[in-house]
Amino acid sequence: MELIELTRLEKAPLRKLNPVSKLVLIISIAILAVTIDNIDTLKIICLASLVVYALAKPGLARIKVTILLLALTVWGTVFSQALFYSGYPRTPIVELVSPETPVIGWATGGIYVYLEGIEYGFKQSIRLIASLLVGLAVAWTTDPKNFLIYLSGIGVSRALALSTMISFRFIPVFVSDAASTLAVLKLRGMSLRRDKPSSVLKYAKKFLTPLYASLVRRARTLSVAIESRGYGQSKHGVRYELRFTKLDYTVIAASLTITIAVLCVKLLFYAYTTGAYYNPALVYVYAFARKYL
Amino acid sequence: MNNIASLRNVEVKYLGEEKPSLYVEELTIEEKEFVLLLGSSGSGKSTLLKLLCGVIPHYQKAEVKGEIEVLGGDPRQEGLSGIVLRGAAIVLQNPDAQLFSATVESEVSFGPENLGLPREEIEKIIKWALNVVGMSGLEHKDTVSLSGGQKQRTAIASVLALKPRLLLLDEPVSQLDPQGSLSVMTCVNALPHKAGCAIVMAEHRLHDLYAAGIIREDARTIVLDKGRIAFDGELGEAVNKNILEFYGVREPSIFRVARKIYGKIPTLDRKELIKFLTSNKASYSYSDSPPLSSKILVKIDDVWVRYDRKSGYVLKGVSFDIRKGEIVGLMGPNASGKTTLMKAISGLVKPSKGNITLDLNPRYDLAYVPQNPDLYLVSDSVIEELRLNPRESLDEKIVKALINVLGLEKMLTKHPHALSRGQRFRVAVAAALAGKPKLLMLDEPTTGQDQKNIEALAQILKKYLSMQEACALISTHDVEFVLHNCSRVVVLKDGKVIASGAPWKVLRKEDIVREACLRVPDEALVGLWN
């Protein structure tokens, strides 16, 4: 896969939004995904994220990367929850290790695949997918420099603005470096043996060490380059020219309103269910929260 | 002229190191001066540049003693951002890692935006800066689709937009092909005159600068050796006194030819020297490469590769073979398919059409070191790295020889990622060879390496290949390395082989060289190969 296909800024409707409104959108979707428990409402959030993703008009290479990331996310969360689900009730549907198996069986009381774990894993993966889709869409449609300009312009600290910019700048580089590292590991005779947990850990370390070193070095070079262009040199701040269109204001207002409203309703419902606070006038709010949130 | 930077009794010691990496008794840099900073790997060139702009000790922790003044400030106290405000700027090696904006215009405008300048003024500055680096008209181009040379010139324009008085360049052409290097160096050479700033440039590739015809005899040259200034004077004097050769600086190979014939370099003027040697070529000749072995280890037959159905083919009917004992140079511009070909040989990419036949075990006998050595180094120490190979057994004799020839003795217990780029690449090559591969593939092995290390690499490769009945495929832009060390060269362009054969025959064909963004080696121009 060519790095250029992942890094080029495509002409897409989402580019009309400025970085601040895009970040507000990401944060709102992440908060909603974490707060909401109702699976149908989560599906709607995920669908909304998919619409945002479509507005980034991703090409084939980007769709492939997205599918790979989504598959890994779903597999990872469902697999781990199916095996290690600790809630009750739980229904074992497959026995992987019998409780009578020496050592592992005795120590763990048996390892099973739980039906409720799979369901919970799906719910968690929907949460992650919603944030991931919007995050990728924003990364692919925003000039990384504008993260610095806009975040600094609205008063976000220099370090935070720089970290945000670097993290978005390195998403495509990370994908490319990871592919090269996997290729090198294969040629150096290191393969992933899923049957041995120690081998998985060893492989993960060998995979992450070069990747981490390469990214740290790139991040350092980038920071020097940014500072060498005068970023952060003024002690009293710089007035950057920020452009907020009506669309930006609409997106920010809508995202904040929905997020704050959902948080308030959830908080009231939580107070009601724990017996901390009850108001009969809010009975429709409680019913709404129970049914949809 | 005024001094814009001065150092007196300055000592820099990196944390954890016993000896100082730099010791400067006295150094001054004047306004609009062009200073060439030369020296072998680890001689202290980058340390000096980073010290002048405050990257040391702010980004790289080190103990710094002595008096330093840059544009009226002390970089130790003011840091990079403070020194930038005073009018200094630095451009680093890797152009890809330095650009972060979507378009050229957006990249160049970042500096003036940080100064809070009005839009109209910013637009004027963008025009001026792009004009100085010869990139007018490319304002709206995506930075990702620029060539390597254009990327580096964009990085230079981005700092020029702040109108610096002191521009520090840390090996700005080390990762570029010869034509990209020529475009950047032509631009850098004109900067003191066009942009009115002093330039201090550290560079290993003096041979490329010389071939570009932009190094003047009277250019101020500082040669560093083991962290100390060994020479500070004119380039002509350094060449005539053999100072560059003595301190391991990679000289243009035509200088070595002239020295062998005449015992000295008659003139530094490139055109004159070529004319002089051409008229006297009979007195010196090179021996031809030994005949090729008949045993083919790798046969590439009409190979076509594409990454997906919609995109075009990256390799289009590539055919050639690699024989036992051979070092084949793979050359061509960026995105010509060199890395894809190496991946296809390694089995990491499956050809859509055609065959790659290997007379070796693909599980044990293949080694590939990528251009970025970071991605190859997976262990916690150099010695562990050398012991890690697909065979899971080790030939101690080979490991010892590798450590010896590649100069790794003092770094065996160090973490590979704590070493310099040149050192990391040498460790990666040693680790690859320790696995006794039958086919070794290296991507840009001479980048950031000095003369001594390039010679050591060539020596160990030749020795290894003759001992192990192996072969090597080397992707590189280094025409001199290919000319002197490869038995054959294959030139790719747009996924097709446009030339193949003995380097001395292929690399003197001007049309081929131009198409592949290379340059004709000086020896070929002189006609030393006939």
Side-chain angles (χ1 to χ4, degrees), chain B residues 3-192:
Chain B
N3 283 350
I4 53 171
S6 62
L7 285 83
R8 193 165 298 120
N9 297 324
V10 170
E11 191 181 290
V12 180
K13 197 157 80 176
Y14 287 110
L15 294 189
E17 296 287 326
E18 285 172 14
K19 288 181 184 168
S21 298
L22 184 73
Y23 182 80
V24 179
E25 275 181 39
E26 183 91 41
L27 175 69
T28 54
I29 294 158
E30 291 177 354
E31 235 164 341
K32 297 187 186 177
E33 196 176 22
F34 187 100
V35 181
L36 199 54
L37 205 53
L38 303 173
S40 57
S41 298
S43 60
K45 303 185 296 292
S46 288
T47 303
L48 178 57
L49 292 184
K50 287 173 184 169
L51 180 69
L52 286 171
C53 65
V55 168
I56 291 174
H58 292 271
Y59 276 89
Q60 263 173 290
K61 297 291 171 210
E63 190 188 325
V64 184
K65 291 179 192 163
E67 290 170 41
I68 312 169
E69 195 182 306
V70 177
L71 297 158
D74 186 339
R76 283 170 297 187
Q77 278 149 26
E78 304 198 358
L80 177 58
S81 53
I83 286 298
V84 167
L85 193 63
R86 288 182 178 274
I90 185 164
V91 174
L92 304 166
Q93 292 174 20
N94 185 351
D96 284 314
Q98 292 176 82
L99 303 185
F100 47 89
S101 304
T103 63
V104 171
E105 185 184 36
S106 170
E107 191 76 42
V108 180
S109 67
F110 185 58
E113 279 167 347
N114 285 322
L115 297 179
L117 298 177
R119 197 68 226 168
E120 305 79 61
E121 203 175 326
I122 291 177
E123 272 161 21
K124 274 185 203 163
I125 292 173
I126 294 171
K127 268 192 177 169
W128 171 80
L130 289 178
N131 182 37
V132 169
V133 299
M135 285 191 52
S136 297
L138 296 176
E139 290 85 348
H140 303 293
K141 203 161 178 190
D142 281 336
T143 50
V144 284
S145 54
L146 297 173
S147 69
Q150 287 173 330
K151 281 181 185 168
Q152 197 60 295
R153 281 186 285 152
T154 304
I156 293 172
S158 305
V159 294
L160 283 183
L162 290 166
K163 305 266 174 98
R165 288 166 63 201
L166 174 62
L167 180 57
L168 308 164
L169 302 169
D170 192 3
E171 298 190 34
V173 297
S174 65
Q175 302 196 3
L176 306 182
D177 59 49
Q179 281 185 19
S181 161
L182 171 64
S183 72
V184 172
M185 288 319 303
T186 309
C187 141
V188 168
N189 195 40
L191 286 181

Side-chain angles (χ1 to χ4, degrees), chain A residues 7-9 64 143-145 149 165 169 183 188 205-206 210 213-214 217 222 227-229 233 238 240, chain B residues 59 81 85 90 96 98-102 106-107 109 111 113-115 142 144 308 374 376 380 385 417:
Chain A
T7 45
R8 184 185 282 129
L9 209 59
K64 277 184 181 176
D143 185 342
K145 182 193 85 171
I149 301 260
M165 181 267 196
R169 166 74 171 75
R188 294 192 76 182
K205 185 174 176 273
K206 301 257 182 244
S214 173
R217 239 182 274 281
L222 190 59
E227 230 180 298
S228 201
R229 318 265 177 91
Q233 62 176 330
V238 179
Y240 291 108
Chain B
Y59 276 89
S81 53
L85 193 63
I90 185 164
D96 284 314
Q98 292 176 82
L99 303 185
F100 47 89
S101 304
S106 170
E107 191 76 42
S109 67
E113 279 167 347
N114 285 322
L115 297 179
D142 281 336
V144 284
D308 53 61
D374 287 345
Y376 194 85
D380 292 334
E385 204 68 69
H417 290 289

Side-chain angles (χ1 to χ4, degrees), chain B residues 243-256:
Chain B
I243 283 168
L244 303 185
E245 196 185 29
F246 183 78
Y247 289 110
V249 175
R250 185 178 178 185
E251 281 187 319
S253 46
I254 197 170
F255 286 5
R256 272 179 282 158

Side-chain angles (χ1 to χ4, degrees), chain A residues 155-174:
Chain A
V156 171
S157 81
R158 216 179 106 199
L160 189 59
L162 197 60
S163 319
T164 310
M165 181 267 196
I166 287 176
S167 57
F168 277 100
R169 166 74 171 75
F170 281 149
I171 287 175
V173 178
F174 178 82

Side-chain angles (χ1 to χ4, degrees), chain A residues 89-127:
Chain A
R90 52 182 188 181
T91 318
I93 50 173
V94 178
E95 184 186 78
L96 295 178
V97 177
S98 154
E100 280 81 42
T101 308
V103 193
I104 304 176
W106 299 336
T108 58
I111 297 176
Y112 303 91
V113 173
Y114 297 105
L115 181 65
E116 290 78 5
I118 294 176
E119 285 169 3
Y120 186 67
F122 267 119
K123 196 191 248 187
Q124 293 291 68
S125 55
I126 286 176
R127 290 182 161 130

Side-chain angles (χ1 to χ4, degrees), chain B residues 191-349:
Chain B
L191 286 181
H193 167 65
K194 282 190 177 174
C197 57
I199 309 276
V200 182
M201 181 174 75
E203 188 53 67
H204 269 299
R205 288 169 60 169
L206 186 63
H207 57 294
D208 266 349
L209 310 188
Y210 184 71
I214 51 176
I215 291 294
R216 296 187 316 269
E217 206 162 326
D218 61 351
R220 182 176 172 194
T221 303
I222 296 175
V223 180
L224 288 172
D225 180 50
K226 293 173 190 153
R228 288 174 183 264
I229 294 177
F231 174 83
D232 185 352
E234 289 185 359
L235 181 64
E237 191 191 344
V239 172
N240 288 329
K241 288 183 176 171
N242 289 2
I243 283 168
L244 303 185
E245 196 185 29
F246 183 78
Y247 289 110
V249 175
R250 185 178 178 185
E251 281 187 319
S253 46
I254 197 170
F255 286 5
R256 272 179 282 158
V257 175
R259 271 204 199 97
K260 277 188 182 171
I261 301 173
Y262 304 106
K264 62 171 188 167
I265 294 155
T267 169
L268 262 186
D269 183 296
R270 185 168 172 269
K271 280 183 189 163
E272 284 296 312
L273 186 57
I274 288 174
K275 218 193 286 173
F276 195 78
L277 289 174
T278 310
S279 58
N280 295 283
K281 66 186 177 190
S283 54
Y284 189 79
S285 67
Y286 278 85
S287 58
D288 209 344
S289 309
L292 294 178
S293 157
S294 59
K295 189 176 180 186
I296 295 173
L297 290 179
V298 181
K299 187 167 177 56
I300 300 155
D301 188 14
D302 192 26
V303 165
W304 293 69
V305 172
R306 66 179 168 190
Y307 286 102
D308 53 61
R309 283 183 187 279
K310 275 197 172 174
S311 60
Y313 282 97
V314 183
L315 292 180
K316 300 165 187 166
V318 172
S319 297
F320 67 95
D321 50 44
I322 311 175
R323 290 155 195 254
K324 190 187 88 180
E326 253 199 307
I327 304 178
V328 174
L330 189 60
M331 306 190 93
N334 293 338
S336 57
K338 303 189 293 289
T339 304
T340 302
L341 179 60
M342 286 183 164
K343 282 184 182 170
I345 295 172
S346 313
L348 300 169
V349 172

Side-chain angles (χ1 to χ4, degrees), chain B residues 344-366:
Chain B
I345 295 172
S346 313
L348 300 169
V349 172
K350 210 178 160 203
S352 320
K353 286 187 247 172
N355 286 314
I356 297 177
T357 317
L358 304 174
D359 188 9
L360 43 83
N361 186 335
R363 205 174 147 200
Y364 301 115
D365 291 334
L366 282 173

